[in-house]
Amino acid sequence: MTRSRYFFNSSIIRQNLRQHGWIGILYTLVLLFIFPLQILMNGYRFTEPMEIPDLFNIGIDIAPFLVAFPVGAGLFLFRYLQSKMPSDLWHSLPLRRSHLLASHTLSGLLLLLPPVWITAAVAAIIRPLDGIMYIYNAADVWEWCLTVSLLTLFLFVFTVFVGICTGQTILQGILIFILLVLPAALLQFIDLHLNRYLYGYPEWSGLQNILNNWAPLLRIMDLSVEPLTSVETWVYAILSAVFMALSFLLYRKRHGEKAGQALAFSYFNPLFKAGVMLCSMLLASLYFGTGRNQLGWIIGSVFIGGLVGYIVVEMILRKTWHILTRRLPLEFAVYSVLLGLLLYIPVSGLTGYEDRVPQVDKVTAVYAGGNYEFLTQDPPQGINGIKEPEEEILSTDPRYIEAVTALHHAIVTLRPDPGNAPSYDYTGNRQFTLVYKLESGRKLMRTYNVPAKGFEPELKAIMENADFKRVKYVLSMLDRNVDSFRLSNLDKAVSISDRQEVQELKEILKREVLNMSYEDQVSGQLERASIELVNKPDSTGYQRYYSYPWYPSYHELGTWLEQKGYANKVKATAKDVLSAVIFKDYNKDGMASALRGSIERRLNLARNEERSVTVKDKTLIDDILQHRQNVTGQDGRYVVKIEYKIGMTSYISIDEQDVTPELKALLP
């Protein structure tokens, strides 16, 4: 009589531990193998111990096992819900459903949590032993134990919740993994949908940085890179409590005859149908519509995707392929119209997104350029990247804000289509990301491919502004603890480490960048050498690097390098060239695509037509190297194929006015 007052039944718990105890044993062995045992195996007597950022970086990745065991335990313990005979048997016992659920849940936690605690205890015990390669403290072990325990609890409780809502074990397992990824996947699909159909929608909207945080499965896979934050810890704890409470609530209302059905609650059917249809519509639209912006392809792909999704979900719910009924076409039409509107309205003109340009007096700061993502996001692990505080890359200059909004107004008015640019013109478009910080504190971001032709005044006003050049060329790197510079070109290199010369070079580089004209930035000039900046090591011993080009337009820099004797040590000269072949380039839309996309093939065509010549005169080769520029594919420019003695080949171009009479005399 006393035991009936308890919220669990000890007999059920003992039966579950006897029947499924192998899960706990195996989980314990796996955790011991991938964590404490790896600490012992990786220790060497004569190796210096090393500090690690967190214990998830030790040994084998825990993520696959951390997901598999809690989900597996939930599937095995609650399998009785998905089969009619076991369901009838368990529910015929003189126990309340809350007692059944509590007993099975406690059984699962007894199988899953003690292995985690045992593993953490072993890791703490071996920490002071000699020969341990890793340095960690008790707080690290506690953090590991708390994180793994919490995620184990969350995954198990979530599996229980999905099991109560479904009536088939296979469908339960599939839905668990789909739902653990769905938030990030759906956000990604929506982001791609908006990017494709909304003019100006940024290719990088910042959404990519948070996708993993929205998908528990992806977040768990990312533990070795970034441990859970305190906010995430509370979120998973709260979600575990919410799913547990919902499980108790729904289990009381679940009908026993729903065992074997796809969903245990019929009011979930519309949500299930709409979710599957929406995902299939987005997938079909993104797949079949890629590269085809015709209205027919777009509508057709969305319709087919919705139809396939609807048929699949109907077959799952009815457990048969005989799904055709009189109401089916009408129901499909209703779902299609509603979901079609859901996809269309955000990308239509009804929202005013494409024509929205903020008023100048409402903007407090602005950014314009093509490296916003590079400057604002954390670089991938192991990659030497730059991340600037937002206030460092936003400009508050009123003239600059006016120039950016003027360009924005011109773009939304004229709507330039990058597809109209000649397919052979490699420099006709420039990608601009415009970011506004508004008085309200919100941010407005747009990305456009802006053709140079027709937008010269607006681009000139922006690109000649000091704030634009300061951010685009990352001049902030020159204000940090610069240790030295390294000039390199081909197989030549020279270091500048004298403190006075380093300071002079820093100031000259700043002036050269800030004095660049619009024409200097768009002319396609090629660097004569790369100037690599080397920062002094920080407190962890890490050195940051960044490279600046030495452009021909940097006259003060060129003079300084000549005076110091560095220029001749890195400049390419005729002595470095094995051969140089020059021809006048023609690149028409009427050409075959293989010719338009290959400089080498156009060179072979010029050879066959006897329009090319091999330059042997050293003076002429030096002159070519002096005026070399990027190959743009524009008609009438001279292209030179240069083969260097070190085995490297490059294609460069020369403007008509830079070709000397002696060089023109060689050409047919």
Side-chain angles (χ1 to χ4, degrees), residues 275-350:
V276 173
M277 285 184 66
L278 179 63
C279 291
S280 60
M281 285 170 136
L282 286 168
L283 277 174
S285 172
L286 294 172
Y287 180 78
F288 291 105
T290 301
R292 302 180 180 91
N293 287 323
Q294 295 92 338
L295 185 61
W297 272 99
I298 296 173
I299 296 177
S301 62
V302 171
F303 176 81
I304 293 173
L307 180 61
V308 171
Y310 184 79
I311 291 173
V312 169
V313 77
E314 280 291 322
M315 289 192 295
I316 291 174
L317 292 174
R318 300 190 189 187
K319 299 194 298 182
T320 178
W321 61 275
H322 297 287
I323 61 173
L324 190 60
T325 61
R326 290 183 177 179
R327 69 177 182 82
L328 186 141
L330 178 60
E331 185 179 79
F332 170 70
V334 171
Y335 275 102
S336 298
V337 170
L338 293 177
L339 293 175
L341 289 174
L342 185 64
L343 294 177
Y344 170 72
I345 291 176
V347 298
S348 69
L350 299 174

Side-chain angles (χ1 to χ4, degrees), residues 32-43 58-60 134:
L32 289 173
F33 177 78
I34 66 176
F35 183 29
L37 187 58
Q38 293 297 315
I39 296 177
L40 295 173
M41 291 172 61
N42 291 336
I58 295 178
I60 303 170
Y134 305 103

